[in-house]
C-alpha cells in the first residue's frame, strides 16, 4: 500500500513534465503552418452561412501534437479581417477587398484545430472566432464625417431594408419575389442623414404577377446580396432609394472526392452573377420584413503581444461528416493552453493595421 502511495505521488509530480512535452510550439512563418492557416480560413468561409468572408491577417501562435500513425494535430491562433464580399459571393477570396478603417473595419481572433495525416488531405476539426469592430469613438476621432455602425434592429435600418427590398421586387424582372435572409451591416451619420444597409435575400415561390403564393417550396432558390442607401425626404427633396442586388445561382452537388464537412450546405454563386440596380424616388408603402437575430459585438480589444491564449477552457465548434439535410450535432473539442514563449510568433501581418 505504501508503494502504491509513492507511485501515485510520483505520477502527480511528473504529470506537468509529461504534459509539457505533448504540445510543441512551432514557428508561425513555416510554409506548412501558413498553408494550414489559409486552409482554415477557406474552410470557415465555406462553412459559414451569414456575414462576410474573412481574410487571414496574421498567425499568432501554433502548437503541434504528434500522434501515432503519422497523424499531427495543429492548434492555431490566427487574426482575420472582414472583407466586403458576402459569404455567398462567388468571387475568390483573392478578389475580395478588406474593409478599411474609414468603413469601420472588423477584426477577429480565431482558434482553429487542423489535423494532418500522411496520405490524406488536411482537415479542419474545429474552430471558434470572436469578431469585434473598431469603436465608433475611434472612427469619429479620426474621421468625424465617416458613418458609424447602426444596430440591425434600429427603426431607421428596418425601414431602409424594407423599402429597398420592396423596390427591388417591384422593378426586378425576376419571375419570383425575394425575401430577406438577414441584415449584415448598417451605418449612418445620425438623424436625417442617409442610411446605408447591406442584407442578403432569398427567392420565394411567390410570383410577382400574382397575389397568390405557391405552398410548394423551391428546390433550388436563388440567393442574393443587396447594398442600399436610403436618403430621407427633405423640405423640398423627395426620399431617394438606391439599391443594387446581386443574385447567385445554387451550388451544384460536390463529387465524392470532396464530400462536404458538417454544416457545408446551402448555396454558392455561379461566376455569372446577375446584378440589378434600382434607383427610385418616393417609394410606395412596403410590406413589413423581419430580421434574423443580430449578435452584439463589443468594440475591438487589442491583444497584447505577450498574450498567448484567452483560456484553456474554450470550446470550439467542431466539424464532422453529416448527411444532407440531417440535424447538425456540434462536436466540442477542448483548445489547450498555448505556451507563454511564442518562438517566432506572432507572424507578420498581411494587412496594414492603419487600413
Amino acid at each position: 500500500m505504501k508503494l502504491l502511495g509513492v507511485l501515485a505521488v510520483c505520477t502527480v509530480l511528473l504529470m506537468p513534465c509529461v504534459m509539457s512535452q505533448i504540445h510543441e510550439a512551432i514557428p508561425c512563418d513555416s510554409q506548412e503552418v501558413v498553408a494550414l492557416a489559409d486552409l482554415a480560413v477557406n474552410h470557415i468561409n465555406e462553412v459559414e452561412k451569414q456575414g462576410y468572408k474573412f481574410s487571414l491577417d496574421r498567425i499568432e501562435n501554433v502548437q503541434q501534437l504528434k500522434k501515432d500513425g503519422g497523424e499531427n494535430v495543429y492548434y492555431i491562433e490566427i487574426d482575420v479581417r472582414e472583407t466586403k464580399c458576402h459569404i455567398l459571393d462567388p468571387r475568390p477570396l483573392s478578389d475580395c477587398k478588406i474593409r478599411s478603417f474609414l468603413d469601420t473595419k472588423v477584426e477577429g481572433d480565431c482558434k482553429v484545430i487542423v489535423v494532418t495525416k500522411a496520405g490524406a488531405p488536411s482537415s479542419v476539426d474545429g474552430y471558434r472566432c470572436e469578431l469585434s469592430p473598431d469603436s465608433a469613438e475611434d472612427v469619429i476621432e479620426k474621421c468625424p464625417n465617416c458613418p458609424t455602425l447602426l444596430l440591425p434592429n434600429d427603426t431607421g435600418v428596418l425601414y431602409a431594408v424594407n423599402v429597398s427590398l420592396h423596390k427591388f421586387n417591384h422593378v426586378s424582372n425576376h419571375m419570383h419575389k425575394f425575401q430577406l435572409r438577414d441584415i449584415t451591416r448598417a451605418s449612418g451619420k445620425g438623424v436625417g442623414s442617409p442610411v446605408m444597409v447591406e442584407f442578403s435575400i432569398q427567392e420565394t415561390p411567390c410570383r410577382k404577377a400574382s397575389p397568390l403564393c405557391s405552398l410548394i417550396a423551391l428546390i433550388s432558390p436563388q440567393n442574393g446580396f443587396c447594398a442600399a442607401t436610403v436618403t430621407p425626404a427633405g423640405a423640398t427633396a423627395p426620399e431617394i432609394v438606391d439599391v443594387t442586388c446581386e443574385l447567385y445561382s445554387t451550388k451544384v452537388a460536390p463529387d465524392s472526392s470532396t464530400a462536404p464537412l458538417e454544416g457545408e450546405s446551402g448555396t454558392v454563386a455561379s461566376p455569372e452573377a446577375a446584378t440589378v440596380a434600382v434607383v427610385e424616388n418616393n417609394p410606395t408603402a412596403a410590406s413589413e420584413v423581419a430580421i434574423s437575430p443580430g449578435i452584439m459585438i463589443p468594440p475591438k480589444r487589442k491583444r497584447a503581444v505577450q498574450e498567448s491564449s484567452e483560456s484553456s477552457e474554450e470550446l470550439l465548434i467542431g466539424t464532422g461528416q453529416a448527411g444532407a439535410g440531417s440535424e447538425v450535432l456540434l462536436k466540442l473539442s477542448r483548445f489547450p493552453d498555448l505556451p507563454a514563449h511564442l518562438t517566432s510568433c506572432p507572424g507578420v501581418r498581411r494587412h496594414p493595421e492603419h487600413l
Side-chain angles (χ1 to χ4, degrees):
M1 181 67 82
K2 187 178 294 186
L3 179 59
L4 290 176
V6 172
L7 289 174
V9 171
C10 292
T11 300
V12 172
L13 292 176
L14 290 174
M15 185 63 71
C17 298
V18 174
M19 291 297 291
S20 65
Q21 296 174 358
I22 293 179
H23 299 94
E24 176 187 357
I26 57 178
C28 286
D29 55 2
S30 71
Q31 291 185 351
E32 182 181 18
V33 167
V34 172
L36 293 178
D38 282 327
L39 169 72
V41 172
N42 289 333
H43 174 79
I44 293 172
N45 288 337
E46 284 292 328
V47 169
E48 290 298 313
K49 299 298 183 297
Q50 297 178 323
Y52 301 87
K53 293 182 180 180
F54 295 142
S55 176
L56 176 65
D57 187 20
R58 180 176 66 171
I59 302 172
E60 285 209 348
N61 202 0
V62 187
Q63 286 268 309
Q64 182 184 25
L65 172 61
K66 295 182 179 180
K67 301 178 116 179
D68 296 335
E71 180 177 295
N72 294 318
V73 180
Y74 292 86
Y75 300 91
I76 309 175
E77 288 186 291
I78 57 176
D79 291 338
V80 296
R81 288 281 296 273
E82 183 183 85
T83 72
K84 293 187 176 183
C85 289
H86 190 266
I87 210 73
L88 302 176
D89 197 308
R91 283 176 290 183
L93 184 60
S94 58
D95 293 341
C96 295
K97 295 181 179 179
I98 63 169
R99 201 174 294 280
S100 68
F101 174 82
L102 298 183
D103 195 26
T104 308
K105 73 174 184 285
V106 176
E107 297 177 315
D109 294 323
C110 297
K111 296 187 176 184
V112 189
I113 299 176
V114 182
V115 179
T116 66
K117 192 171 184 178
S122 304
S123 61
V124 176
D125 194 49
Y127 69 91
R128 176 176 179 173
C129 294
E130 295 182 357
L131 305 179
S132 53
D134 284 324
S135 67
E137 291 77 11
D138 288 345
V139 174
I140 293 174
E141 180 182 355
K142 297 181 180 179
C143 182
N145 293 323
C146 287
T148 56
L149 295 182
L150 301 173
L151 294 176
N153 60 353
D154 178 88
T155 302
V157 171
L158 294 178
Y159 175 80
V161 171
N162 189 30
V163 295
S164 300
L165 180 56
H166 177 79
K167 285 306 168 184
F168 169 74
N169 279 327
H170 178 69
V171 179
S172 165
N173 59 3
H174 200 279
M175 180 185 300
H176 296 127
K177 294 180 181 179
F178 282 76
Q179 66 183 3
L180 181 69
R181 290 180 77 249
D182 69 328
I183 299 174
T184 54
R185 190 177 178 90
S187 60
K189 298 180 182 180
V191 178
S193 64
V195 176
M196 286 75 76
V197 291
E198 297 178 7
F199 54 96
S200 61
I201 57 177
Q202 186 173 59
E203 182 184 9
T204 72
C206 306
R207 288 180 175 269
K208 288 179 57 177
S210 173
L212 301 178
C213 188
S214 172
L215 297 179
I216 303 176
L218 298 176
I219 297 177
S220 300
Q222 280 193 304
N223 290 277
F225 178 70
C226 301
T229 299
V230 177
T231 304
T236 58
E239 180 183 68
I240 299 177
V241 178
D242 184 350
V243 56
T244 300
C245 296
E246 294 181 341
L247 301 182
Y248 309 133
S249 299
T250 304
K251 180 170 64 175
V252 297
D255 57 41
S256 58
S257 62
T258 56
L261 292 173
E262 181 177 311
E264 289 183 314
S265 59
T267 59
V268 67
S270 66
E272 299 81 16
T275 302
V276 180
V278 181
V279 180
E280 211 165 305
N281 298 337
N282 291 329
T284 57
S287 58
E288 292 297 325
V289 294
I291 64 168
S292 58
I295 298 178
M296 294 289 292
I297 43 182
K300 176 178 60 182
R301 180 187 71 82
K302 286 291 186 182
R303 177 185 293 182
V305 175
Q306 64 269 22
E307 290 187 70
S308 59
S309 177
E310 299 290 341
S311 168
S312 62
E313 298 300 315
E314 289 205 54
L315 297 177
L316 304 184
I317 296 178
T319 56
Q321 296 295 334
S326 64
E327 184 71 15
V328 177
L329 299 178
L330 298 180
K331 180 181 64 178
L332 299 178
S333 304
R334 189 175 299 279
F335 198 94
D337 271 327
L338 301 187
H341 59 287
L342 299 183
T343 60
S344 63
C345 296
V348 178
R349 290 187 181 275
R350 291 185 178 182
H351 307 298
E353 278 197 277
H354 64 277
L355 290 181

